[in-house]
Amino acid sequence: MGTVSVNQILINPLKRIPVAGGDVLHGIRCSDQGYVDFGEAYFSVVEAGAVKAWKKHLRMTLNFVVPLGMVLFVFLDEQGGLREEELGENRYMRLTVPPGIWFGFKGLFSPSSILMNLADIPHDSTEVDRKDIGEINYNWKAK
């Protein structure tokens, strides 16, 4: 896999098409920059103020989209690089995260947010490392 940096995380603006009765929100196409392959898609509900951290996938490429609410993402690489990104209704984008980067996220502002991940491989508990929230020094309360 080699050395991976938080600078390798891609952020792509997504289309939100106004339609009577409810907008259409694009997520990802197989021709988009950052698309690797399809393994599975899943959704996570993130309550306001809730923090879900820390994970590092060893083989999985992540594609995060937040169609409802707002979520703060925090990424750390092995060289000590830090990157923060907020995604949601007011900043509708897709984050493509290569394997080898530690991450966590926190729900912001609304009662709950919805996070979609389109992953390039199906979930496999043997390809992910985990740490307790206190094992990485980051002040979630400051955000």
Side-chain angles (χ1 to χ4, degrees):
M1 176 170 58
T3 303
V4 182
S5 164
V6 293
N7 295 326
Q8 292 174 270
I9 296 170
L10 301 176
I11 187 156
N12 293 292
L14 296 174
K15 290 182 183 177
R16 184 177 191 122
I17 303 166
V19 176
D23 294 352
V24 173
L25 289 83
H26 281 202
I28 192 168
R29 293 177 183 215
C30 62
S31 59
D32 285 349
Q33 179 185 19
Y35 177 81
V36 176
D37 203 353
F38 175 75
E40 73 173 354
Y42 66 83
F43 298 86
S44 293
V45 175
V46 188
E47 296 175 1
V51 175
K52 297 183 178 187
W54 296 97
K55 284 176 143 183
K56 176 178 73 172
H57 287 279
L58 307 175
R59 295 187 329 268
M60 182 184 286
T61 298
L62 311 166
N63 283 284
F64 289 137
V65 177
V66 179
L68 295 172
M70 284 296 283
V71 174
L72 167 69
F73 292 88
V74 178
F75 302 99
L76 299 158
D77 61 33
E78 299 296 334
Q79 298 78 43
L82 169 73
R83 182 166 174 179
E84 299 170 325
E85 295 284 352
E86 289 183 12
L87 295 186
E89 294 175 69
N90 298 326
R91 188 166 186 253
Y92 190 59
M93 310 249 178
R94 181 183 65 253
L95 285 172
T96 301
V97 183
I101 294 179
W102 287 100
F103 72 93
F105 50 87
K106 177 180 181 178
L108 303 174
F109 309 128
S110 60
S112 61
S113 300
I114 302 236
L115 161 64
M116 181 200 68
N117 178 27
L118 182 106
D120 65 331
I121 62 173
H123 173 76
D124 175 357
S125 60
T126 66
E127 73 80 43
V128 63
D129 287 341
R130 298 175 189 272
K131 291 186 179 187
D132 289 332
I133 194 167
E135 290 185 71
I136 291 178
N137 186 21
Y138 181 81
N139 185 359
W140 290 99
K141 292 183 188 215
K143 303 293 176 187

